[in-house]
Amino acid sequence: MIISRKSVLAATLTAATALMCQPGALAGPQADDHMKKAEELYRKMKVKEAAEQYREVIRLDPKSARAHQRLGAVLAAMDDYETAILESKQAIKLDPKDYLAHVVLGQIYANQSKMKEARAEFQQAVALNPKSFTGYMNLGLANTGLNNIDDAIKAYTKAVELKPEKAMAHHNLALVYQLKGDFTKAIDAAKKAVELAPKNPMPLLGLGNIYGDADRVDEAIKTYKDCLRMDDRNFLAHCGLGWMLEKKGDLEGAMAEQKKALKLAPDYSRARYRMAAIFAAQGDQKKAEKEFKRCLETKSPDPMAFVEYGKFLQGSGRKNEARAQYEQALKLSPDLKLAKDALAKL
């Protein structure tokens, strides 16, 4: 559950104008000059140069909470998480009511996969500012990462209430309803995201995935095709379309789509294991096993790859090997229901 560098930076930029207007925030015109230079560099995403200017502000005014907060954000964007955490904590110490410092610190923790720590910071952020759209969006992300789906739904619902015009809030809400298995609400939220961002392929892709999980195959195929008309290089949509064509029994069409996905993203493990499953369905056991193994050798294999490979092994009578695959899937994703069910049946 990774937050992009730009997201970390953007979180603190949202209140830049208001903070710059606070009286007594800086000690003297020299610090003020460095701060203005830093903010300009910050907006241009020139993080190294911005960091130098923020350090100058702190040298001149060690009690500038805003300079510490901003420095923490740019250091996080430079992957210097340890120092970024120290700067963010200093900002909070100097100004305990600054909710943005908690947002930035939470995002840094999230990038380190420390989701419990991240959630605590986002909770503090929304407690300080109950109208923080950014705070609730991030709180939803942290709860999703912790598999607290009901809490994630509450957070994203609040984000939607605060800014109903934001497509991403509806999109994320749809995804957590999908995780819960409430496909009716997931589809409603996803359709709203598509309506609000008709030129963005991401909400369409999300809607297609929900239709797919709900076994509404024809609607999923149409949605994936709509997504590909918008962006024919969207490897996720090619993979999703292949998945649905496979369900309909069109193995040749399914194979063609997975090959397109892998041409665009050679390390995308889901397309690889779906292609392996197609080989198995066609009766080519050697090619199927070869693709499953290639899939598991990728940098970050999808836990479902182990489940699918386990099913393949189980179908070949290799039950002990299948068990090992299901157990590996659960090591990567302890709450993966399909892996639990497969292991129980075995």
Side-chain angles (χ1 to χ4, degrees):
M1 189 66 62
I2 301 298
I3 299 174
S4 70
R5 295 178 179 186
K6 286 188 178 181
S7 295
V8 177
L9 293 173
T12 59
L13 283 172
T14 55
T17 304
L19 284 167
M20 288 179 74
C21 295
Q22 289 179 358
L26 300 172
Q30 196 175 4
D32 189 32
D33 185 54
H34 283 294
M35 180 60 84
K36 287 177 181 177
K37 288 179 182 177
E39 300 285 67
E40 185 61 30
L41 291 164
Y42 194 179
R43 289 186 179 86
K44 293 178 180 178
M45 298 298 173
K46 294 183 178 180
V47 291
K48 289 183 180 179
E49 296 89 339
E52 291 174 8
Q53 293 298 321
Y54 287 128
R55 285 193 174 101
E56 277 301 303
V57 177
I58 292 168
R59 183 181 66 82
L60 294 163
D61 181 13
K63 293 185 179 181
S64 172
R66 181 158 59 95
H68 285 287
Q69 179 214 81
R70 295 291 217 277
L71 181 57
V74 294
L75 290 172
M78 293 160 63
D79 294 333
D80 184 358
Y81 292 130
E82 187 175 343
T83 314
I85 288 170
L86 292 175
E87 290 296 335
S88 298
K89 286 183 175 180
Q90 182 64 12
I92 292 168
K93 183 178 178 181
L94 291 166
D95 185 1
K97 294 183 179 180
D98 180 11
Y99 77 97
L100 278 174
H102 288 284
V103 171
V104 172
L105 182 55
Q107 290 179 329
I108 295 167
Y109 283 137
N111 276 344
Q112 296 178 300
S113 298
K114 297 177 179 178
M115 301 311 292
K116 287 184 179 179
E117 293 88 338
R119 179 181 58 182
E121 295 302 325
F122 298 139
Q123 286 174 331
Q124 185 62 25
V126 298
L128 289 167
N129 183 0
K131 294 184 179 181
S132 172
F133 173 79
T134 302
Y136 280 108
M137 287 291 284
N138 281 285
L139 182 56
L141 177 146
N143 278 316
T144 304
L146 291 167
N147 203 38
N148 295 330
I149 303 304
D150 287 337
D151 288 337
I153 288 171
K154 289 177 185 177
Y156 286 132
T157 299
K158 185 64 178 179
V160 166
E161 289 173 4
L162 289 167
K163 292 194 176 182
E165 74 281 5
K166 294 291 187 181
M168 189 54 66
H170 296 276
H171 174 72
N172 287 7
L173 181 58
L175 295 183
V176 288
Y177 273 129
Q178 179 185 5
L179 288 173
K180 189 175 182 179
D182 190 338
F183 296 121
T184 300
K185 288 183 179 178
I187 289 167
D188 287 344
K191 283 183 175 179
K192 186 63 179 179
V194 171
E195 177 190 323
L196 289 167
K199 295 182 179 180
N200 186 341
M202 185 185 291
L204 265 177
L205 178 66
L207 179 58
N209 290 339
I210 295 165
Y211 279 139
D213 272 356
D215 280 328
R216 293 169 64 166
V217 177
D218 290 335
E219 289 161 292
I221 288 173
K222 180 185 181 303
T223 307
Y224 285 131
K225 285 182 176 179
D226 287 344
C227 183
L228 288 167
R229 275 191 283 272
M230 194 179 297
D231 176 15
D232 64 357
R233 294 184 59 80
N234 192 317
F235 66 93
L236 297 170
H238 280 295
C239 181
L241 178 56
W243 171 40
M244 289 297 103
L245 292 174
E246 183 187 343
K247 280 195 171 189
K248 289 205 80 167
D250 181 1
L251 299 183
E252 287 187 11
M255 180 69 80
E257 291 301 323
Q258 300 306 348
K259 285 181 177 179
K260 288 176 186 177
L262 288 168
K263 186 176 180 180
L264 293 165
D267 289 330
Y268 185 48
S269 66
R270 181 165 295 185
R272 183 77 61 191
Y273 76 68
R274 288 261 54 96
M275 191 161 74
I278 296 167
F279 279 129
Q282 291 175 330
D284 195 332
Q285 304 299 303
K286 287 184 178 180
K287 283 187 178 179
E289 184 146 19
K290 180 181 177 182
E291 290 303 325
F292 275 124
K293 287 181 177 178
R294 284 184 68 184
C295 174
L296 300 182
E297 288 168 1
T298 55
K299 200 174 282 187
S300 300
D302 187 324
M304 274 302 299
F306 294 94
V307 176
E308 292 294 331
Y309 187 33
K311 289 179 181 178
F312 169 80
L313 293 168
Q314 189 174 346
S316 303
R318 296 152 67 181
K319 292 186 178 181
N320 289 335
E321 291 175 79
R323 185 186 304 278
Q325 298 305 318
Y326 298 144
E327 289 172 349
Q328 183 60 34
L330 289 170
K331 281 183 183 178
L332 294 172
S333 181
D335 296 308
L336 187 58
K337 187 176 184 299
L338 290 172
K340 287 181 178 178
D341 291 346
L343 195 57
K345 288 179 182 178
L346 185 66

